[in-house]
Amino acid sequence: MEIERINDNTVKFYLSYIDIEERGFTREEVWYNRDKSEELFWEMMDEINDETEFEIEGPLWIQVHAMNNGIEVTVTRAQVSDDDNADAHFGMDDPRKHYEPDPSMFTNPEQLMNELNDEPVVWTSDMFVFEEFENLIPLSKKIPPYSVKSSLYSFENKFYMHVIYDEAEMDDEDKSDFCSIISEYGSLSQVTIHRLEEYGKIIMESDVLETVHKYFGE
């Protein structure tokens, strides 16, 4: 999970589907089961509070974006004036009870529409972030060959590997296996390729892991 403190009242976190599954939830539960999505949300807020001291006070505004490989959640503490009182509005003193998301808050509307039309949702690419370039070296030795196109960028003192899957060669199970191996050394990121192309520095234009292994893995 990646956490970004936007300001005193707002925090954003990104949770990949691998992170979700490691916490004992499934995509379907998070999308369609209100109790499960709420349980996951409060687990994340407890973790965020431990790491950033973002305390839950009063009602929360929650914005969720579903992405190919995870969910991005922005949480803002609603501002209550001195003349106002959150408890008076909500009739309770437990801030967790102020949480009233839509039952489908984690639903990707586009994905639901595709499912209703019996059109499969295509998982075409992923972005991975590595804290150190050295993390790529043992990965390059361990990972078997997969049918992917890859490029490597540096941005804000981290390294980002963009991967495009060969849909003719890799199914979702192959992609999940690929992500699981990489997650031992890096993690999924919500940074887009467009942002990296504009603000990052290209390190390798293609065949990232093969190139790393060739020059650093011997």
Side-chain angles (χ1 to χ4, degrees):
M1 181 174 72
E2 296 182 19
I3 303 171
E4 180 183 358
R5 185 70 179 267
I6 306 299
N7 54 42
D8 289 343
N9 293 309
T10 304
V11 67
K12 178 188 293 185
F13 66 89
Y14 174 78
L15 197 63
S16 72
Y17 291 124
I18 292 176
D19 292 331
I20 290 172
E21 291 171 0
E22 288 178 348
R23 285 170 167 79
F25 299 88
T26 66
R27 295 193 198 191
E28 289 74 19
E29 287 175 336
V30 171
W31 284 338
Y32 305 117
N33 187 314
R34 179 191 174 114
D35 291 338
K36 288 293 185 179
S37 66
E38 187 171 343
E39 180 182 348
L40 174 63
F41 175 80
W42 288 115
E43 282 189 16
M44 296 302 96
M45 293 309 298
D46 287 338
E47 187 172 332
I48 289 170
N49 183 38
D50 291 340
E51 293 190 23
T52 68
E53 298 182 355
F54 182 85
E55 296 182 359
I56 302 167
E57 299 173 347
L60 302 176
W61 298 103
I62 304 160
Q63 185 177 25
V64 180
H65 294 288
M67 307 169 73
N68 269 356
N69 48 24
I71 55 174
E72 181 183 82
V73 184
T74 302
V75 181
T76 301
R77 289 188 296 230
Q79 296 295 298
V80 180
S81 68
D82 293 337
D83 296 331
D84 256 339
N85 184 290
D87 293 340
H89 284 290
F90 290 87
M92 56 192 71
D93 56 8
D94 182 357
R96 296 192 174 222
K97 296 177 183 177
H98 298 167
Y99 169 82
E100 287 294 334
D102 184 274
S104 59
M105 64 169 288
F106 285 106
T107 297
N108 182 338
E110 181 180 352
Q111 178 148 359
L112 276 184
M113 185 62 67
N114 285 338
E115 288 178 355
L116 289 174
N117 293 333
D118 294 326
E119 297 177 3
V121 178
V122 181
W123 177 8
T124 59
S125 66
D126 276 316
M127 181 72 73
F128 300 93
V129 59
F130 301 85
E131 296 294 330
E132 304 286 345
F133 178 84
E134 286 71 17
N135 293 347
L136 289 160
I137 298 174
L139 172 61
S140 72
K141 298 178 181 179
K142 178 177 180 179
I143 195 164
Y146 282 94
S147 299
V148 301
K149 295 180 180 179
S150 59
S151 53
L152 185 68
Y153 295 79
S154 63
F155 177 62
E156 295 183 343
N157 299 317
K158 295 181 181 180
F159 293 87
Y160 292 83
M161 184 172 70
H162 183 235
V163 172
I164 300 175
Y165 301 109
D166 185 337
E167 295 300 316
E169 298 292 335
M170 296 182 68
D171 58 21
D172 283 356
E173 184 175 352
D174 293 327
K175 296 169 190 174
S176 294
D177 291 341
F178 180 85
C179 290
S180 295
I181 296 172
I182 293 185
S183 67
E184 298 177 29
Y185 303 91
S187 59
L188 285 164
S189 172
Q190 77 273 33
V191 174
T192 66
I193 184 61
H194 307 292
R195 187 177 182 188
L196 293 176
E197 288 174 342
E198 184 171 358
Y199 299 108
K201 178 181 179 182
I202 184 70
I203 303 298
M204 298 179 186
E205 294 184 352
S206 63
D207 302 327
V208 173
L209 295 177
E210 294 90 337
T211 303
V212 170
H213 185 264
K214 178 179 178 180
Y215 290 101
F216 302 96
E218 299 300 334

